């Protein structure tokens, strides 16, 4: 299961340049193509180069703390350790790959201030073939009490004319649901609060994405700048903006700690094409191994959903049974029971241990069991948190036989909320409950450590088609290269009242502005081990494409991005057991995409494909053909269109 190679290197690259005593360290990736250099010549700084191109120019490291001088400007290295790790591990939840390679070189620097309070700090750098990560370790103060972080000084100094895809949330309290819009970095301002991942195109063969991993007892971070005029220079130093604690202003306290505080990993994913970043397992690699002894109960899968989106707003037995029947007919393992199953929510009197009077929970669960379906429950976060209600409710849900919980409307990622997430995840695991967070912050790879945290929202998803025109084909083809780089994305696909953009109308029943095949492709392309189908049973059962979604897998043994560019198109292939699935989507431009099947092992295969019918978005054609690894197929995509296929080897 694990092949671990671990050894200490005796020769860190260091130069001591008298009389300034500047110290410089270089750390190379295993393939020696990416280099991180750390020095303290003019304050603590780092630089990243890859394939000979400077990705991040000298950028600052350090902190500002309340009632303390800034930390990082005048420090010396007292010890350094460099080592290499090359291991493989098997995820409990195989979101992208059945086996993950974790291969990196690491440099640990122990630092102390040259004068004054002589405060200590450690910095850890890891360099992979496909990215760079670093984090800090802070220590307690001499005086008794908390230390308080006001600002993290981590910078990312990049070319001002580089193109980025920016999700400006405008606030630190949000559901992190907005578009990633392309713009050059010199348009980032002091007011920008850009969410992560933050994709940057340096040139046609160098892409970087800034994000974070393993957030624990620390706030989430955003991207902005401190300079008011970024047009005057050829570089922009992006800065880390930490989510303030509740009640604190933007320049107030972000985190409190007493001793031995590790920050999350600051991550720079690297690739020669934007699709390479999608294939990366860097975020999970930067998290700890699975902390759960028994994981047999964690089972990914598709789910039906009796929801407001599809127009079925009744919370009654017939409606719930109708969606259980949908899951059963499509051979999906789950059905999600939505809001008001426990009556009025977000009220002081709300009781998440009691079922609304019109419902019979034992009857629902018995009906579901007879149909080979298990149920999930939706919960409002305030009702979960009030008086620690979850401590009472979760063991009851386990007794009922509930598979998981979907908790909604947190809309924060400050230090307190980050810690609340972890408490919920751990308590849920104790009672064998999987977790889906909505109104949530981005993933950070915790699914490796606690695989019951199986998916989360934090994305401008299909629900917005109900009340806006924001779910465009351009947005849908941007998400895989931006938000999805962080991990699981509960977009809730499956809207099958497909119309052309000019025919779209908001309201009920809910329409979507793409073809039926584009909607099918989302189930292949979008990463979510617990994938929730959003539409009504009558819009899929017995309709074109239902056969493709029958028994649809949600976890994968292999993932390959075969082409694409943010906001234009994407084509991906994923393997589940003996089957390969292929999905393609385009923006509002009609296009032909060439599919090379050279990812297949040698042999003969049968490919079943579902394709657009031009100018008829609710229609599709199905075709079967023999193929091999040498086959090349030209796929024609309608405007806002798609294409899917299922490939199996001939016995």
């Amino acid at each position: 299961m694990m092949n671990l190679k671990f050894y200490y290197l005796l020769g860190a690259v260091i130069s001591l340049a008298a009389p300034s005593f500047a110290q410089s360290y270089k750390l190379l990736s295993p393939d020696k193509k990416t280099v991180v250099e750390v020095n303290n010549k003019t304050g603590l700084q780092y630089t990243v180069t890859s394939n000979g191109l400077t990705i991040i120019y000298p950028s600052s490291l350090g902190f500002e703390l309340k009632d303390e001088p800034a930390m990082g400007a005048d420090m010396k290295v007292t010890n350094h350790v460099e080592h290499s790790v090359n291991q493989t591990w098997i995820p409990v939840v195989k979101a992208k790959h059945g086996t993950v390679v974790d291969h990196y070189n690491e440099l640990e620097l122990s630092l102390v201030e040259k004068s004054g309070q002589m405060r200590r700090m450690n910095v850890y750098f890891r360099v992979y073939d496909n990215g760079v990560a670093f984090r800090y370790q802070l220590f307690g103060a001499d005086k008794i009490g908390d230390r308080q972080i006001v600002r993290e000084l981590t910078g990312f100094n990049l070319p001002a004319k580089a193109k980025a895809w920016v999700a400006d949330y405008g606030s630190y309290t949000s559901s992190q649901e907005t578009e990633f819009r392309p713009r050059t970095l010199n348009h980032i301002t002091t007011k920008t609060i850009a969410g992560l991942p933050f994709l940057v195109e340096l040139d046609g063969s160098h892409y970087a994405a800034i994000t974070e991993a393993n957030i624990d007892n620390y706030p989430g971070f955003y991207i902005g700048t401190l300079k008011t005029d970024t047009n005057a220079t050829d570089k922009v130093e992006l800065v880390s903006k930490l989510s303030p604690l509740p009640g604190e202003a933007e320049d107030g306290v972000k985190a409190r700690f007493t001793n031995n505080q590790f920050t999350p990993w600051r991550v720079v994913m690297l690739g020669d094409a934007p699709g390479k970043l999608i294939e990366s397992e860097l975020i999970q690699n930067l998290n700890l191994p699975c902390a759960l002894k028994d994981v047999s109960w964690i089972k990914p899968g598709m789910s039906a959903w009796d929801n407001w989106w599809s127009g079925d707003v009744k919370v009654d037995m017939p409606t719930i049974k109708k969606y259980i029947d949908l899951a059963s007919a499509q051979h999906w393992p789950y059905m999600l029971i939505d809001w008001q199953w426990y009556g009025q929510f977000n009220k002081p009197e709300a009781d998440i241990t009691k079922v609304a009077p019109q419902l019979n929970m034992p009857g629902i669960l018995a009906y579901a069991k007879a149909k080979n379906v298990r149920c999930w429950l939706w919960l409002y976060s305030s009702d979960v948190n009030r008086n620690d209600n979850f401590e009472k409710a979760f063991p009851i849900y386990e007794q009922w036989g509930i598979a998981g919980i979907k908790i909604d409307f947190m809309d924060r990622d400050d230090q307190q909320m980050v810690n609340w997430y972890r408490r919920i995840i751990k308590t849920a695991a104790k009672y064998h409950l999987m977790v889906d967070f909505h109104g949530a912050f981005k993933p950070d790879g915790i699914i490796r450590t606690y695989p019951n945290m199986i998916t989360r929202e934090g994305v401008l998803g299909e629900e917005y088609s109900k009340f806006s025109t924001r779910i465009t084909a351009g947005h849908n083809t941007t998400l895989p290269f931006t938000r999805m780089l962080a991990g699981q994305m509960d977009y809730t696909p499956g809207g099958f009242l497909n119309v052309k953009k000019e025919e779209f109308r908001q309201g009920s029943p809910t329409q979507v502005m793409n073809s039926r095949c584009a909607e099918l492709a989302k189930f292949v392309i979008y990463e979510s081990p617990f994938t929730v189908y959003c539409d009504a049973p009558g819009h899929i059962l017995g309709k074109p494409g239902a056969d493709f979604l029958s028994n649809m897998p949600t976890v994968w043994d292999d993932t390959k991005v075969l082409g694409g560019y943010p906001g234009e198109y994407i084509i991906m292939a994923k393997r589940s057991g003996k089957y390969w699935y292929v999905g393609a989507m385009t923006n509002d431009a009609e296009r032909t995409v060439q599919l090379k099947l050279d990812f297949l092992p040698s042999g003969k295969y049968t490919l079943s494909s579902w394709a657009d019918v031009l100018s008829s978005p609710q229609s599709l054609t199905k075709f079967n053909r023999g193929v091999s690894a040498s086959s090349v197929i030209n796929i024609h995509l309608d405007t806002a269109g798609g294409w899917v296929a299922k490939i199996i080897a001939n016995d």
Side-chain angles (χ1 to χ4, degrees):
M1 182 173 179
M2 180 176 290
N3 173 26
L4 176 63
K5 182 180 180 183
F6 183 94
Y7 55 89
Y8 284 89
L9 303 178
L10 301 177
V13 178
I14 174 172
S15 62
L16 299 177
S20 66
F21 298 101
Q23 297 164 294
S24 178
Y25 297 82
K26 284 186 178 180
L27 184 68
L28 279 65
S29 59
D31 65 5
K32 298 181 170 51
K33 293 180 180 179
T34 300
V35 182
V36 169
E37 183 173 358
V38 188
N39 71 75
N40 62 354
K41 185 176 181 181
T42 57
L44 194 60
Q45 293 185 321
Y46 76 102
T47 305
V48 178
T49 60
S50 184
N51 293 308
L53 179 72
T54 300
I55 305 296
I56 296 179
Y57 289 84
S59 300
S60 60
L61 298 165
F63 294 89
E64 289 181 1
L65 298 107
K66 188 174 181 179
D67 301 324
E68 298 183 38
M71 187 175 179
D74 189 33
M75 304 194 82
K76 64 181 179 181
V77 177
T78 59
N79 190 35
H80 67 274
V81 177
E82 188 175 351
H83 66 268
S84 178
V85 169
N86 188 0
Q87 63 184 358
T88 58
W89 57 278
I90 297 175
V92 174
V93 177
K94 300 173 182 179
K96 295 181 183 179
H97 300 99
T99 301
V100 177
V101 176
D102 188 15
H103 190 193
Y104 61 87
N105 294 326
E106 183 174 70
L107 172 66
E108 176 186 348
L109 298 176
S110 301
L111 302 110
V112 67
E113 290 179 315
K114 298 175 185 176
S115 60
Q117 298 181 32
M118 306 291 286
R119 294 170 296 178
R120 294 185 299 132
M121 177 173 73
N122 291 347
V123 185
Y124 301 79
F125 277 88
R126 290 183 183 177
V127 186
Y128 297 75
D129 290 346
N130 62 350
V132 171
F134 59 93
R135 69 173 175 175
Y136 306 89
Q137 182 182 15
L138 298 172
F139 301 92
D142 292 338
K143 62 181 181 180
I144 296 173
D146 289 339
R147 298 183 74 188
Q148 301 181 89
I149 297 172
V150 174
R151 184 174 156 233
E152 184 180 320
L153 299 177
T154 302
F156 304 90
N157 197 3
L158 293 157
K161 295 298 177 68
K163 183 179 180 180
W165 283 261
V166 181
D168 191 347
Y169 296 127
S171 171
Y172 298 102
T173 54
S174 81
S175 56
Q176 300 198 358
E177 298 170 1
T178 197
E179 295 85 351
F180 288 79
R181 301 188 186 279
R183 62 187 65 176
T184 53
L185 291 179
N186 55 5
H187 287 89
I188 303 295
T189 73
T190 57
K191 295 182 179 180
T192 301
I193 303 175
L196 306 180
F198 188 90
L199 176 66
V200 181
E201 180 183 59
L202 283 306
D203 60 32
S205 58
H206 291 87
Y207 292 83
I210 300 168
T211 190
E212 60 183 331
N214 193 12
I215 312 171
D216 188 7
N217 193 33
Y218 202 83
F221 97 86
Y222 300 77
I223 292 291
T225 184
L226 296 179
K227 296 181 180 179
T228 56
D229 182 11
T230 56
N231 292 311
T233 63
D234 62 349
K235 306 288 188 308
V236 174
E237 181 153 20
L238 305 176
V239 298
S240 303
K241 291 187 168 185
L242 300 180
S243 187
L245 283 165
E248 293 282 346
E250 183 165 1
D251 59 355
V253 176
K254 311 302 193 309
R256 296 185 174 96
F257 68 98
T258 53
N259 191 43
N260 201 30
Q261 174 68 44
F262 284 94
T263 71
W265 291 97
R266 278 59 189 103
V267 184
V268 182
M269 304 170 73
L270 299 172
D272 60 5
K276 291 295 183 184
L277 305 180
I278 298 173
E279 297 174 3
S280 173
E281 295 280 12
L282 188 52
I283 306 304
Q284 284 204 77
N285 274 333
L286 291 163
N287 279 261
L288 295 173
C290 182
L292 307 180
K293 292 182 180 179
D294 175 21
V295 294
S296 60
W297 53 276
I298 300 173
K299 298 183 184 300
M302 288 277 297
S303 179
W305 174 32
D306 68 324
N307 65 88
W308 54 271
W309 190 93
S310 65
D312 280 327
V313 294
K314 290 183 179 179
V315 184
D316 59 22
M317 296 294 287
T319 301
I320 290 173
K321 287 182 177 181
K322 181 169 68 171
Y323 282 84
I324 292 172
D325 289 344
L326 168 61
S328 178
Q330 286 294 110
H331 304 286
W332 300 339
Y334 300 116
M335 187 282 203
L336 170 61
I337 303 174
D338 204 50
W339 60 359
Q340 299 190 71
W341 69 265
Y342 57 92
Q344 291 296 311
F345 54 86
N346 195 25
K347 304 276 187 186
E349 64 272 18
D351 187 345
I352 62 173
T353 68
K354 302 288 177 62
V355 182
Q358 74 273 22
L359 299 181
N360 176 353
M361 187 60 74
I364 290 171
L365 298 176
Y367 186 83
K369 185 176 181 179
K371 297 279 187 172
N372 201 27
V373 174
R374 296 188 66 199
C375 292
W376 284 60
L377 298 176
W378 179 94
L379 300 164
Y380 197 97
S381 58
S382 298
D383 301 334
V384 173
N385 190 55
R386 189 179 300 112
N387 302 319
D388 288 342
N389 282 339
F390 65 91
E391 296 280 6
K392 296 175 286 188
F394 289 5
I396 293 173
Y397 299 162
E398 183 183 33
Q399 291 172 6
W400 289 353
I402 297 299
I405 49 174
K406 171 183 172 181
I407 307 179
D408 210 341
F409 293 105
M410 287 74 69
D411 297 343
R412 290 165 41 198
D413 64 349
D414 55 78
Q415 184 185 30
Q416 290 179 5
M417 183 56 71
V418 166
N419 292 343
W420 185 85
Y421 271 53
R422 285 193 168 245
R423 187 179 174 197
I424 291 293
I425 293 166
K426 291 177 183 179
T427 307
K430 180 179 177 182
Y431 297 106
H432 304 100
L433 296 170
M434 290 177 281
V435 179
D436 175 5
F437 285 123
H438 270 231
F441 63 84
K442 66 192 176 299
D444 66 335
I446 195 174
I447 191 172
R448 178 184 181 185
T449 311
Y450 293 98
N452 65 310
M453 202 305 299
I454 199 164
T455 195
R456 67 177 72 184
E457 193 183 27
V459 63
L460 185 70
E462 195 87 285
E463 65 180 6
Y464 277 79
S465 289
K466 182 78 170 179
F467 44 78
S468 79
T469 57
R470 297 173 67 180
I471 306 304
T472 64
H475 171 69
N476 290 332
T477 50
T478 298
L479 286 177
F481 301 99
T482 52
R483 161 59 181 83
M484 203 173 78
L485 299 182
Q488 305 74 42
M489 188 174 77
D490 192 10
Y491 173 100
T492 58
F496 285 122
L497 291 184
N498 313 93
V499 297
K500 290 292 186 182
K501 191 174 184 178
E502 60 273 15
E503 299 168 354
F504 177 79
R505 300 291 181 270
Q506 300 174 35
S508 286
T510 310
Q511 300 176 338
V512 293
M513 297 186 290
N514 53 236
S515 75
R516 200 170 190 87
C517 274
E519 205 63 30
L520 293 175
K522 294 175 183 177
F523 290 89
V524 179
I525 294 168
Y526 291 165
E527 178 184 328
S528 187
F530 176 63
T531 297
V532 180
Y533 167 82
C534 68
D535 214 339
H539 297 159
I540 183 65
L541 291 178
K543 299 295 177 66
D547 51 347
F548 180 75
L549 291 183
S550 180
N551 258 321
M552 186 72 193
T554 61
V555 288
W556 310 96
D557 297 301
D558 201 0
T559 297
K560 296 183 182 298
V561 179
L562 307 178
Y565 186 82
E568 293 187 3
Y569 78 98
I570 183 167
I571 179 167
M572 292 180 66
K574 294 182 175 181
R575 182 176 64 84
S576 174
K578 61 183 180 179
Y579 289 99
W580 279 95
Y581 290 76
V582 182
M585 291 191 301
T586 183
N587 59 8
D588 287 324
E590 186 179 338
R591 72 178 73 234
T592 298
V593 177
Q594 191 177 78
L595 170 63
K596 296 180 179 180
L597 298 180
D598 53 3
F599 58 86
L600 295 172
S602 61
K604 296 187 185 226
Y605 298 81
T606 297
L607 180 148
S608 301
S609 63
W610 291 255
D612 289 330
V613 174
L614 298 186
S615 301
S616 181
Q618 289 193 31
S619 302
L620 55 80
T621 58
K622 186 177 178 183
F623 188 74
N624 296 327
R625 73 189 81 182
V627 295
S628 68
S630 62
S631 298
V632 178
I633 301 172
N634 288 323
I635 302 168
H636 191 74
L637 306 173
D638 196 6
T639 56
W643 186 90
V644 293
K646 188 175 179 181
I647 308 171
I648 187 171
N650 296 335
D651 294 330

